[in-house]
Amino acid sequence: MAPENLTLIHLSNATLNDLPTSIARPVYDRAALTPGILHIGLGNFHRAHQAWYLHRLFQHGHNGDWAIVGAGVRPSDSIQREKLLRQDCLSTLIELDPAGRSAEVSGAMIDYAPVAQGNAALIRRMVDPAIRIVSLTVTEGGYYVDAPTNGFDASHPDIQHDILYPDRPRTAFGAMVAALRFRRDRRSGPFTGLSCDNLVGNGALLRQTVVSLARASDPVLAEWIDENCSFPNSMVDCIVPVTGPNELALARTFGVDDAVPVTHENFRQWVIDDDFCSGRPDWERVGASFSDRVHDYEAMKIRILNAGHQMIANAGEILSIETIAECMAQPLIAALFCKVQREEIAPHVKAVPDFTPDEYVNLIARRFSNPAIGDTTRRVAFDGSSRHAGFLMPSIRDAIGTGAPVEGLALVEALWARMCEGRREDGSVIEPNDPQWDKLAAVARAARNNPRAWLEQRQIYGDLNEAPRFAAAFERWLNKILSDGCEASLQAYVTS
């Protein structure tokens, strides 16, 4: 709660100068900003990361014609829109450093497109020639990728709708295709599609989804998009917890009444291919990196940070541990993280100019252990069906292909299978936490009698059920978890 003698200031353009002096705020004229980027999926991560880089540029007097218009395609996005518009699209960013907390107000976003069925308003905003970049954070599982082949999944009902009714699409990608059709016909030029999701080759996947969707209804348009638009790959990194009652209360302790504040760690990284068909902001002035080695940065981050999140969150859920920092304070989970990373993941990761794989493991261990970050195991464990497929499978396949150790990775998958039963070891219920939760829970229950039933989920594991060394290790670990418990299994692995 805010101190009793602290006056709360409702966040808005009109009250920026009334905020406590401890809160940094825009020094630029927000009324002079003009839009250049439309961002779809305007959650906490975008506001703490990509929008922050742009805010820093504005603070230094650069690129005022690249302000952000927010957008969304889900009904819940309209709630976020209303909250942000009531405070002139301003956001309070609270940095959670173990040495102390600080707050600043970011003003890089200037509008939020209406959210409505058919996405007409979204398409109109993307048709505007001033919009030169359309960026997205729509989660790892949101790109309509067929997991076994990594190709485009044209069978999804939303995609089928967008193929049949391209002028009133359901998906963000259908809206992009519709807008690009208008832009081609009006000769107003292409835009860059910039994915900011945790996917290896995220730009290539975005290109695949947009071009494949266009090709299904208009092959000539698809060719125009493929030849004229750019889809740079990018690697994004910053730990950003979900906003709940604690975060709302924390904002009030700074004297600001913000309906949607964002908390974040004291680390950011953004590495991008310099491939923008219609120009871009000078992000390199404020710490972003442009590199032709984005894939190596992505692989390091996804295999170590994102995969590491899954391995400790699944164990944490089973043991009723609420936050990631508390997971890292549990000696067996911390030992699991370090042993698997150093012995079974890092050997398959290339060094990058900033870090060796071992140095990066050390960095991630420190970041995960930050007690100021209240990042929940539940948030991190969400959508494991996409995240295990994308974050763990590449390392497992590399280990199998090179004859390298795979015991710890098999244990990690067995822990996930046990978690998906939906009940912790203390008997409490794990609420559904995956788009495929009902199916996962049913298979997890079946795996009690036939552990390899879990590996038969080809949309996640492909043919790994047929890899004898991995499949046997998985079966052995799941049986041990079921008979002896999570802690005994972790102990057996970390002392082996």
Side-chain angles (χ1 to χ4, degrees):
M1 295 180 63
E4 292 183 4
N5 61 345
L6 184 63
T7 301
L8 289 180
I9 304 298
H10 172 71
L11 187 60
S12 71
N13 283 334
T15 62
L16 281 175
N17 290 331
D18 299 327
L19 292 173
T21 57
S22 61
I23 301 178
R25 77 288 311 273
V27 298
Y28 47 89
D29 180 5
R30 296 189 76 228
L33 299 177
T34 57
I37 299 173
L38 182 139
H39 185 84
I40 301 171
L42 204 135
N44 283 9
F45 182 80
H46 168 75
R47 290 184 291 144
H49 191 269
Q50 299 97 37
W52 177 87
Y53 281 96
L54 203 59
H55 167 68
R56 300 308 300 170
L57 273 175
F58 296 164
Q59 291 286 66
H60 292 289
H62 305 302
N63 298 146
D65 60 338
W66 283 101
I68 297 167
V69 175
V73 296
R74 303 171 302 176
S76 60
D77 291 324
S78 62
I79 299 172
Q80 179 85 329
R81 177 178 184 267
E82 291 172 5
K83 290 179 178 179
L84 281 163
L85 287 178
R86 282 199 295 267
Q87 55 193 54
D88 297 321
C89 297
L90 294 163
S91 293
T92 307
L93 308 182
I94 304 173
E95 182 175 283
L96 303 176
D97 188 322
R101 296 165 175 167
S102 61
E104 68 176 319
V105 171
S106 170
M109 179 182 170
I110 58 174
D111 199 5
Y112 202 128
V115 181
Q117 188 173 4
N119 290 303
L122 171 58
I123 294 168
R124 281 196 299 272
R125 295 306 294 261
M126 284 193 283
V127 168
D128 181 354
I131 298 300
R132 288 151 284 164
I133 296 174
V134 172
S135 54
L136 306 93
T137 42
V138 295
T139 78
E140 294 80 13
Y143 285 76
Y144 301 96
V145 176
D146 177 61
T149 66
N150 218 35
F152 178 60
D153 180 9
S155 65
H156 193 283
D158 288 344
I159 294 297
Q160 285 293 306
H161 175 276
D162 286 4
I163 293 170
L164 293 172
Y165 307 104
D167 295 329
R168 39 194 174 95
R170 288 178 182 169
T171 72
F173 312 106
M176 291 173 71
V177 170
L180 287 166
R181 181 183 296 109
F182 276 107
R183 291 175 73 119
R184 180 202 61 179
D185 293 347
R186 296 178 181 182
R187 293 183 168 83
S188 56
F191 54 65
T192 294
L194 178 61
S195 171
C196 297
D197 281 301
N198 288 314
L199 294 161
V200 173
N202 54 11
L205 286 174
L206 177 56
R207 178 188 290 274
Q208 172 180 278
T209 302
V210 172
V211 172
S212 298
L213 178 55
R215 185 176 291 120
S217 59
D218 189 338
V220 176
L221 174 62
E223 184 176 352
W224 183 87
I225 293 171
D226 202 24
E227 291 180 355
N228 291 277
C229 294
S230 55
F231 299 88
N233 292 314
S234 70
M235 186 278 278
V236 297
D237 191 7
C238 184
I239 295 174
V240 183
V242 170
T243 294
N246 291 338
E247 289 71 26
L248 292 168
L250 180 58
R252 290 193 290 272
T253 67
F254 284 94
V256 61
D257 179 15
D258 184 336
V260 281
V262 179
T263 58
H264 60 88
E265 66 170 332
N266 58 339
F267 179 92
R268 288 181 180 87
Q269 191 177 25
W270 195 8
V271 185
I272 320 164
D273 282 332
D274 200 355
D275 180 20
F276 291 77
C277 62
S278 298
R280 63 166 176 82
D282 299 322
W283 281 309
E284 69 272 25
R285 289 177 177 262
V286 288
S289 301
F290 289 89
S291 172
D292 59 2
R293 294 191 58 193
V294 171
H295 179 77
D296 292 337
Y297 281 93
E298 285 177 329
M300 178 176 283
K301 190 252 181 172
I302 285 173
R303 293 190 182 208
I304 295 176
L305 186 151
N306 297 109
H309 256 160
Q310 295 308 299
M311 65 176 67
I312 64 177
N314 296 160
E317 274 283 54
I318 296 169
L319 296 175
S320 303
I321 301 174
E322 186 174 350
T323 71
I324 294 300
E326 290 169 343
C327 287
M328 291 299 285
Q330 208 278 3
L332 291 173
I333 296 179
L336 168 76
F337 172 84
C338 292
K339 185 177 173 68
V340 176
Q341 293 287 359
R342 296 194 190 285
E343 297 181 4
E344 302 187 19
I345 294 179
H348 309 294
V349 174
K350 293 180 181 179
V352 297
D354 304 303
F355 302 103
T356 67
D358 278 347
E359 288 170 341
Y360 194 71
V361 170
N362 291 337
L363 171 67
I364 300 309
R366 290 196 301 272
R367 291 169 61 194
F368 283 1
S369 300
N370 181 350
I373 298 287
D375 205 10
T376 65
T377 55
R378 179 171 176 80
R379 183 198 76 84
V380 170
F382 172 73
D383 196 12
S385 56
S386 294
R387 293 177 174 180
H388 277 255
F391 303 159
L392 276 302
M393 295 310 111
S395 294
I396 293 171
R397 291 188 178 280
D398 280 351
I400 291 170
T402 61
V406 75
E407 283 288 321
L409 289 164
L411 171 58
V412 167
E413 293 307 296
L415 290 166
W416 180 43
R418 169 62 184 84
M419 188 202 82
C420 287
E421 284 191 14
R423 195 170 292 276
R424 302 178 182 89
E425 287 189 344
D426 65 6
S428 61
V429 172
I430 301 173
E431 297 296 334
N433 199 25
D434 191 289
Q436 307 298 322
W437 184 261
D438 290 344
K439 180 179 179 181
L440 291 171
V443 177
R445 290 191 292 270
R448 278 187 165 266
N449 297 317
N450 174 22
R452 297 201 186 196
W454 184 260
L455 299 182
E456 290 169 2
Q457 298 178 96
R458 294 189 69 85
Q459 76 280 11
I460 299 168
Y461 293 100
D463 61 356
L464 287 177
N465 190 40
E466 300 164 14
R469 195 160 54 89
F470 173 72
F474 171 86
E475 182 172 4
R476 186 170 62 255
W477 283 120
L478 183 58
N479 283 333
K480 185 167 183 62
I481 293 167
L482 295 174
S483 63
D484 299 343
C486 179
E487 290 193 2
S489 301
L490 293 175
Q491 180 71 34
Y493 171 69
V494 300
T495 57
S496 64

